[in-house]
Amino acid sequence: MTIGLASRDLPDLWQTLGHIDAVHGLYYLLMHGLFDIFGTDVVVLRLPSVLAAAAAAGGVAMIGLHLAGPRAGLCAGIVFVVLPGVQRYAQEGRSYALVCALVVWATYALVRAVERDRRGVWAAYTALLLTACLVHEFAVLALAAHALVVPRAMRRTFVAAAVGVIVGLAPLVLVSMRESTQVGWLDATKPDEYAHFALMVGVALAAVWIALAGRRSRPACERRLVVLGLGLFLMPTGLLMLLALAKPLYLERYVLYGAAGLALLLGAAFDQVLRRGRRIRAGVVVAAVAAFAALVPTALNLRTPASRSDDMTALAAVLRETVLPDDGVVYLSVKRRAWELAEPRPAPGMDLARARSPLTSHSLYGTEVAPDELRARMLARHRIIAVASPSGVTVEDSAMARVKRDTLADHFEACGKRTVDGSVITVYARPGRC
């Protein structure tokens, strides 16, 4: 999707953002500039995320170093880079690693601002967090975590900075609210997502207990690290999950920067344990090595196409193998048409529902013909290839979607089905022609 949109001419991209995906507009503009300079290439697509994840890891280490010492900072940075979520989005051509890096460095600027209370540092904090919010607006939830570590004497300054961020973000929020149908595909947050978050909260609280154990009186900066880490991990994700009870909005990647908070807590816990006796240190080292070794299969899997929920390259290859020149193609889920953004070589056959392409319609997936015309086009075919989302994903229920499903059910029979990562391809033919 990033390649498909960021590769468009600026006027076309600007018009598209006026209709849809404005929330990612700044990221697409950045990638458009990089593609212009270095060419449209997978390396150029992914390298910004790799560099952003590295920058975020450095920022996490700097926060730990500043608040709890070099060992805590080093441990926090190492923990951050091995977290599966960080590894996944460090290699994807999307904005989430960049948002994470900006939030982390805004957090570091806040830590320094709380200590120095200088206008320049507060301005840097405001600029970094506002930029993060303009790249993805859910970065604004970091303000709730940041508020926890601001001393009473500086609350007025912090509120002024927060207001600056919110005011600067407001135009993007207004535009994205008009495009709210874009997230209409999101399902309600699943019980296993709540269970996973609860499990990680338990890990975070255990890290807090270890980090604060040993001495009754901890230095103020170490206590601030614990409060900051816990807030950064809990509050953005918790708030988004609460919002999701009213409207499905939660995806883990939207608050990827919460991983920085968990890394800070675990880094502080490792630091506290390593201060103790030699036997305990040896046990912790063994446990840490075992934990990292257990993550190796996950890390390796994250670097394979099988880890992608939407492998559009694989979908494109299967369609070119399956579709014959006289076949019609019907996308039961319009989102499946996204493969054309990454693989512009069309498959044989005809996309029966298409009216205008994504480029000419200034949209993500193009526009479709009227339901009656689509039905007539489908009935004129002897064989149709239907592309759908996998089971368990929200099924579209528009008039067009119903025409597609009903026409296939009433006038065709399924001859075979093939599942590709993120898509299900079914071959339909007239009765008796399979």
Side-chain angles (χ1 to χ4, degrees), residues 203-213 226-227 229-230 265-266 269:
V203 172
L205 292 177
V208 169
W209 181 80
I210 294 171
L212 296 180
V226 170
V227 173
L230 195 59
L265 295 175
L266 290 172

Side-chain angles (χ1 to χ4, degrees), residues 35 37 105 124 158 174 247 266 277 335 342-343:
F35 289 156
I37 297 170
W105 281 100
F158 173 75
L174 293 175
K247 178 178 176 59
L266 290 172
K335 190 180 178 185
E343 293 283 340

Side-chain angles (χ1 to χ4, degrees), residues 6-16 28-29 32-33 36:
S7 298
R8 298 182 184 183
D9 294 336
L10 278 178
D12 291 328
L13 176 58
W14 188 255
Q15 284 188 272
T16 301
Y28 292 143
L29 290 171
H32 177 88
D36 270 356

Side-chain angles (χ1 to χ4, degrees), residues 192-401:
D192 62 331
E193 291 176 303
Y194 285 109
H196 178 262
F197 181 57
L199 175 62
M200 298 312 297
V201 169
V203 172
L205 292 177
V208 169
W209 181 80
I210 294 171
L212 296 180
R215 284 190 288 175
R216 292 183 179 179
S217 178
R218 308 291 297 178
C221 58
E222 292 187 23
R223 294 198 303 271
R224 195 181 307 136
L225 180 145
V226 170
V227 173
L228 178 62
L230 195 59
L232 197 58
F233 175 64
L234 291 180
M235 298 200 71
T237 302
L239 288 172
L240 195 56
M241 282 187 160
L242 286 175
L243 288 172
L245 295 175
K247 178 178 176 59
L249 287 173
Y250 174 76
L251 282 177
E252 186 179 18
R253 60 179 179 258
Y254 290 169
V255 284
L256 177 64
Y257 56 86
L262 181 62
L264 288 171
L265 295 175
L266 290 172
F270 280 126
D271 176 51
Q272 175 62 18
V273 171
L274 291 172
R275 291 178 181 178
R276 300 179 182 179
R278 184 178 302 174
R279 183 176 299 176
I280 294 177
R281 286 200 299 269
V284 170
V285 169
V286 171
V289 170
F292 290 158
L295 289 174
V296 168
T298 300
L300 294 175
N301 181 63
L302 286 170
R303 286 157 175 79
T304 66
S307 68
R308 303 295 183 265
S309 59
D310 293 305
D311 189 351
M312 294 303 173
T313 303
L315 172 59
V318 172
L319 284 176
R320 280 192 289 270
E321 292 174 3
T322 306
V323 181
L324 301 177
D326 292 333
D327 289 345
V329 179
V330 170
Y331 293 93
L332 299 181
S333 170
V334 176
K335 190 180 178 185
R336 299 304 97 201
R337 195 182 277 128
W339 73 271
E340 297 179 20
L341 298 174
E343 293 283 340
R345 288 185 299 151
M350 175 185 178
D351 181 352
L352 298 178
R354 170 180 285 189
R356 299 172 65 193
S357 70
L359 183 60
T360 58
S361 62
H362 305 296
S363 63
L364 288 182
Y365 310 120
T367 58
E368 296 190 327
V369 299
D372 289 344
E373 183 175 350
L374 171 61
R375 187 172 185 277
R377 288 184 179 185
M378 293 178 68
L379 292 176
R381 298 283 168 165
H382 296 292
R383 207 173 84 128
I384 291 177
I385 312 301
V387 185
S389 296
S391 60
V393 176
T394 298
V395 177
E396 296 170 19
D397 194 32
S398 63
M400 286 292 290

Side-chain angles (χ1 to χ4, degrees), residues 26 54 77 117 125 145 186 258-259 291 353-354 371 400 410 424 434:
L26 185 58
D117 197 18
Y125 166 72
L186 287 175
R354 170 180 285 189
M400 286 292 290
D410 295 341
V424 178
C434 283

